[in-house]
Amino acid sequence: MSLAHRIIPCLDTDGERVVKGVNFVNLRDAGDPAALAARYNIEGADELVVLDIAASRDHRPTFLETIRRVAAELAIPLTAGGGVANVDEGRAILRAGADKLTVNTAAIRNPALLTALAAEFGSQAVVLAIDAKRVGDHWEAFVRGGSVPTGIDAIEWARQGVDRGAGEILITSMDKDGTRSGFDCPLTAAISRAVSVPVIASGGADTPDTFLEVFREGRADAALAASIFHDSIQGLGALKKYLGEQGVSVRQSA
Amino acid sequence: MNIALVEYGAGNLPSVERALARLGVESHRASKPEELAGCDALILPGVGHFGALMRSLGERSLVEPLRNAVAQGTPLLGICLGLQAMFATSDEAPGDAGLALFPQKVSALPAVDRLPHMGWNQLRRAQPSKLLERVPEDAYFYFAHSYAALDAGDAGVAYCDHCGSFVAVVEQKNVFATQFHPEKSGPVGAQILTNFLRQADTQARQAGLPGRQAGGSA
C-alpha cells in the first residue's frame, strides 16, 4: 500500500477552447475542454489541470465558465489557474469548481501571495507553477507564459515557495515542453530533492518509458502531459498498465 | 430522501452536490440551525482549516444543532475536514473545540513522507464497514490533507499508511466519515456515497417504526 503516482492530463486553454503549441508559441485549436475532461475522467486520469494561458482579465468570466463546465464532468480532482494575482481571483476559481489553484507570475512578483492563498484556502489548494529553462549551469524561472526571464534560480524559488505556503510544485521544463523527447529528469529530481511537498513534472512527455523515467530518475510524484493524450498518441489505460507492470504504484483505470 | 449539506461558508459543496446528482439524488443546503432538524441525512463536507470550520459553525450557531441531530439519530457523513471536525480537538487549531462526537484528537502528520498527503491511496481495513461494502479491497481513494486522526478507538474501521498510520474511515451508529474525498474518488467514491445513502435510508425507516430506537444500525 502506497500513494499512487498520478497521471495528469493538462488542458491549456485560451479561456474557452483547448489550444496547443510548441515551446509556448504557434498555438492551434485542440478541442472543447469539457468534452476532453469527460473523456479523461472515464479513461482513468488521476486529476485534471486546466490553464488559461492567455490569462487576460477580459477573458476571466469566460474561463470561470470553462472551469464550471469542466468540473461538471469530473469525479476526480481539478486544478485550475492562469493569471491568478490575488485571493479574490483564487476564490473565484475555487468557487467555479476547482479543488486547487496554480499560481506562477504573480507569485514571483509578490511571494506573499502564496502565504495569503494558503492562509485562506489551505496549502493543499495552492500549487506553485514554475516554468524553468536551463541557463548555463542552473535552471532559471521564467514568467508570463515562459516569455520573460526573471534571473531567479528555479530550485531556490521552489524551496522559497514551499516555505511561503505552496502545497505542491508544478515544474515545467521549457527546454522539453512540446518536444516529446522525455521529461527533464535532472530538473525534476533537483526540485524533488529541494522540497518536501509533492512535485508534478511537466514538459516532454512521450512514450510510457518517459513516464517511468520521470517517476524513477526524476522522483516525480505526478506527471502531466497534454498533446500525447489529446491526440490519442498515448492512452491513459495502457500507460498505467505498463507502469504497473514495471512496479510503479499507479491507480489502474476502472 | 431529505438530504442536507451543511453550509458554513467554506467547503466544497458543489462537488459533493454534483456527485450526489450523478447518483440521481437531490440534496439541499442547510446553513441555519432549524434547517438541520428533520433531515433524513446530513453531510458535512470540508476543505481548509479546522479552526476556520469550527468558528464558521459557531458563528452560524450550528454546533449544538448538529450535535443534537446526531444524538437524535440523524445519519451524518463527514468528508475530509468534516471527519476531523468530529473529533475533540486538532493540532491545527489548539484553541478551537471540535464537535467531539469522538473523544480523540486530530494530529499533524509527521513529515516522514511528502506532505500534504496528496493523491490516491489505498486503505487497510480493521473492522467490517458499511461504507466500504462492495468496494474492492485494493481500491484507491483521493486524499488531500496534512492533519489526521491517528486513533478513533472502536469507531476506526479503516486506516491509511502515509507518514505512519492514520484513520481513513470512521463509523459509529449513525456517524460516518472519510478522510478521503468520495466525491473526487471516481466510481469507488460513488459507491461510498451510495452506501451512506442506503444506511441513512435504513436508519430513517427504522427510526420511523414504533418501538425501534432511532439511529440503531442493524
Side-chain angles (χ1 to χ4, degrees), chain A residues 1-4 6 46-47 71-78 95 97-100 121 123-124 167-168 192-193 195-199 219 221 249-251 254, chain B residues 9 12 14-15 18 22 47-49 113-124 140-146 159-162 182-187:
Chain A
M1 176 165 109
S2 68
L3 192 57
R6 283 169 284 158
D46 295 309
E47 188 171 325
E73 301 294 339
L74 298 180
I76 57 172
L78 173 63
R95 286 220 170 131
D99 302 286
K100 300 189 264 184
F121 310 118
S123 283
Q124 88 292 333
E168 198 165 21
S192 196
R193 274 193 299 271
V195 300
S196 57
V197 301
V199 174
R219 304 168 68 164
D221 300 284
S249 61
V250 285
R251 178 182 74 112
Chain B
N12 199 1
S15 63
R18 279 194 301 271
R22 279 192 287 269
V47 290
H49 193 273
D113 304 306
R114 288 188 186 273
L115 286 174
H117 176 221
M118 177 101 69
W120 299 75
N121 213 331
Q122 294 170 303
L123 307 182
R124 184 162 41 75
Y140 281 90
F141 297 91
Y142 183 75
F143 292 84
H145 63 116
S146 298
Y159 295 79
C160 179
D161 293 325
H162 186 86
E183 78 283 11
K184 296 281 164 191
S185 293

Side-chain angles (χ1 to χ4, degrees), chain A residues 154-176:
Chain A
I155 311 299
E156 183 50 34
W157 171 227
R159 194 179 285 127
Q160 264 190 45
V162 171
D163 286 347
R164 295 264 187 178
E168 198 165 21
I169 301 287
L170 167 56
I171 181 70
T172 300
S173 165
M174 294 176 56
D175 301 306
K176 293 287 194 171

Side-chain angles (χ1 to χ4, degrees), chain A residues 8 33 45-46 50 67 87 92-93 118 132 139 156 163 172 179 186 200 205 221 225 233 242 245 247 249:
Chain A
I8 306 177
D46 295 309
V50 56
I67 294 173
V87 167
I93 282 181
W139 290 279
E156 183 50 34
D163 286 347
T172 300
T179 64
I200 306 168
D221 300 284
I233 294 164
Y242 175 81
E245 286 164 0
S249 61

Side-chain angles (χ1 to χ4, degrees), chain A residues 160-230:
Chain A
Q160 264 190 45
V162 171
D163 286 347
R164 295 264 187 178
E168 198 165 21
I169 301 287
L170 167 56
I171 181 70
T172 300
S173 165
M174 294 176 56
D175 301 306
K176 293 287 194 171
D177 195 48
T179 64
R180 289 185 55 195
S181 63
F183 291 91
D184 192 333
C185 291
L187 168 64
T188 308
I191 297 276
S192 196
R193 274 193 299 271
V195 300
S196 57
V197 301
V199 174
I200 306 168
S202 160
D206 187 32
T207 62
D209 276 324
T210 63
F211 286 84
L212 186 63
E213 282 162 15
V214 82
F215 289 138
R216 287 203 175 143
E217 295 158 35
R219 304 168 68 164
D221 300 284
L224 177 146
S227 54
I228 61 160
F229 296 136
H230 303 338

Side-chain angles (χ1 to χ4, degrees), chain A:
Chain A
M1 176 165 109
S2 68
L3 192 57
H5 292 79
R6 283 169 284 158
I7 306 292
I8 306 177
C10 178
L11 309 178
D12 290 320
T13 75
D14 60 5
E16 192 170 10
R17 299 282 297 177
V18 179
V19 293
K20 55 183 195 181
V22 174
N23 292 329
F24 290 98
V25 295
N26 298 325
L27 301 177
R28 61 187 176 84
D29 189 279
D32 173 49
L36 281 168
R39 191 179 112 197
Y40 296 140
N41 182 64
I42 288 171
E43 288 180 356
D46 295 309
E47 188 171 325
L48 197 74
V49 170
V50 56
L51 300 175
D52 177 7
I53 64 168
S56 88
R57 288 286 118 70
D58 307 343
H59 278 141
R60 192 41 50 125
T62 311
F63 184 54
L64 292 176
E65 182 53 30
T66 297
I67 294 173
R68 273 182 216 105
R69 290 180 55 231
V70 166
E73 301 294 339
L74 298 180
I76 57 172
L78 173 63
T79 300
V84 172
N86 57 52
V87 167
D88 285 342
E89 289 173 0
R91 184 180 293 112
I93 282 181
L94 294 175
R95 286 220 170 131
D99 302 286
K100 300 189 264 184
L101 301 164
T102 68
V103 281
N104 189 335
T105 304
I108 285 196
R109 291 206 178 123
N110 170 26
L113 174 62
L114 292 169
T115 316
L117 291 170
E120 188 73 18
F121 310 118
S123 283
Q124 88 292 333
V126 183
V127 183
L128 175 59
I130 303 176
D131 296 330
K133 189 175 187 172
R134 185 109 206 175
V135 177
D137 64 350
H138 73 292
W139 290 279
E140 185 174 333
F142 279 61
V143 293
R144 297 186 68 85
S147 61
V148 180
T150 62
I152 294 168
D153 181 84
I155 311 299
E156 183 50 34
W157 171 227
R159 194 179 285 127
Q160 264 190 45
V162 171
D163 286 347
R164 295 264 187 178
E168 198 165 21
I169 301 287
L170 167 56
I171 181 70
T172 300
S173 165
M174 294 176 56
D175 301 306
K176 293 287 194 171
D177 195 48
T179 64
R180 289 185 55 195
S181 63
F183 291 91
D184 192 333
C185 291
L187 168 64
T188 308
I191 297 276
S192 196
R193 274 193 299 271
V195 300
S196 57
V197 301
V199 174
I200 306 168
S202 160
D206 187 32
T207 62
D209 276 324
T210 63
F211 286 84
L212 186 63
E213 282 162 15
V214 82
F215 289 138
R216 287 203 175 143
E217 295 158 35
R219 304 168 68 164
D221 300 284
L224 177 146
S227 54
I228 61 160
F229 296 136
H230 303 338
D231 296 344
S232 300
I233 294 164
Q234 179 62 58
L236 281 159
L239 170 60
K240 288 179 145 191
K241 183 164 180 288
Y242 175 81
L243 291 170
E245 286 164 0
Q246 299 300 310
V248 176
S249 61
V250 285
R251 178 182 74 112
Q252 296 300 341
S253 306

